[in-house]
Amino acid sequence: MICARLPSPLSAPLFAALLFALNPPGLAFDEEEEGPWQEKSIALPAAPQTANRQSFYVSSGTHNQFFIDTASLSVDADGVVRYILIIETAGGAHNVSYEGIRCKSGERRIYATGRPDGQWTPSRNPSWKKISNNPVNRQHAALYDEHFCPGGVIARNRELVLNSLRSGPRHPDRIYY
């Protein structure tokens, strides 16, 4: 016969006190208590300058080169890292886009694409899309995992992201085993 041990009369108040200490009233832990996420309004940055380019590694499976325009990089209070991405193809073509990565949801968004005259064209599909780590368009996964959102948490500030981009894919805030 299996007997269950009933809690002592003191354990219920102790348990309640422990729960209160771990989650005091008014301390919000999830989005429901914080309210729905609201993206800040943005202004498109100035066109990228060659002097502000910082390269970053994506994979050995591509001949393209990838750069962030450091002047455009921001780590914003709404939880989004925004930046200009420059992709230089093996043939010499340049693709320029102003983008954002939201660390909490693991999503990316393209706000606008750059034109050769330095102007921006708003994205035709500016919705947030899930970041996937696949060989095609791996640049977003590399930025998310290795520089902007180590461990899925937004980098504390712009300087940490810049240091990470300069030093390579081993982010200073990320724990490696």
Side-chain angles (χ1 to χ4, degrees):
M1 181 169 146
I2 299 174
C3 295
R5 183 172 176 227
L6 297 174
S8 71
L10 291 177
S11 62
L14 284 171
F15 183 70
L18 179 62
L19 281 178
F20 180 79
L22 293 175
N23 189 14
L27 187 59
F29 284 107
D30 60 9
E31 207 168 272
E32 284 181 23
E33 292 179 20
E34 295 172 2
W37 176 71
Q38 186 108 14
E39 183 174 15
K40 77 173 204 163
S41 60
I42 61 145
L44 296 174
Q49 302 296 313
T50 303
N52 296 333
R53 284 184 179 191
Q54 175 60 56
S55 64
F56 66 98
Y57 178 77
V58 171
S59 85
S60 61
T62 181
H63 297 291
N64 295 339
Q65 293 182 342
F66 299 85
F67 304 90
I68 294 294
D69 175 69
T70 58
S72 69
L73 180 69
S74 65
V75 177
D76 295 324
D78 63 355
V80 178
V81 179
R82 294 180 176 85
Y83 56 95
I84 293 175
L85 174 66
I86 302 129
I87 304 172
E88 189 174 310
T89 68
H94 290 83
N95 296 310
V96 178
S97 54
Y98 183 57
E99 305 184 359
I101 288 181
R102 184 172 179 228
C103 294
K104 188 171 186 175
S105 64
E107 295 174 303
R108 66 178 180 85
R109 177 179 178 183
I110 298 174
Y111 297 102
T113 54
R115 297 191 319 227
D117 64 0
Q119 299 298 309
W120 293 103
T121 299
S123 177
R124 285 185 253 159
N125 185 5
S127 62
W128 289 96
K129 294 178 176 52
K130 202 73 170 157
I131 294 171
S132 61
N133 192 356
N134 60 39
V136 179
N137 294 324
R138 188 184 177 294
Q139 65 272 16
H140 300 109
L143 290 170
Y144 176 84
D145 289 332
E146 299 162 7
H147 303 291
F148 297 169
C149 315
V153 178
I154 192 167
R156 287 190 306 265
N157 57 51
R158 181 179 185 277
E159 282 307 309
L160 281 175
V161 173
L162 290 172
N163 288 339
S164 174
L165 289 166
R166 288 184 198 116
S167 65
R170 295 183 64 85
H171 194 284
D173 281 354
R174 192 162 183 184
I175 298 171
Y176 292 89
Y177 299 98

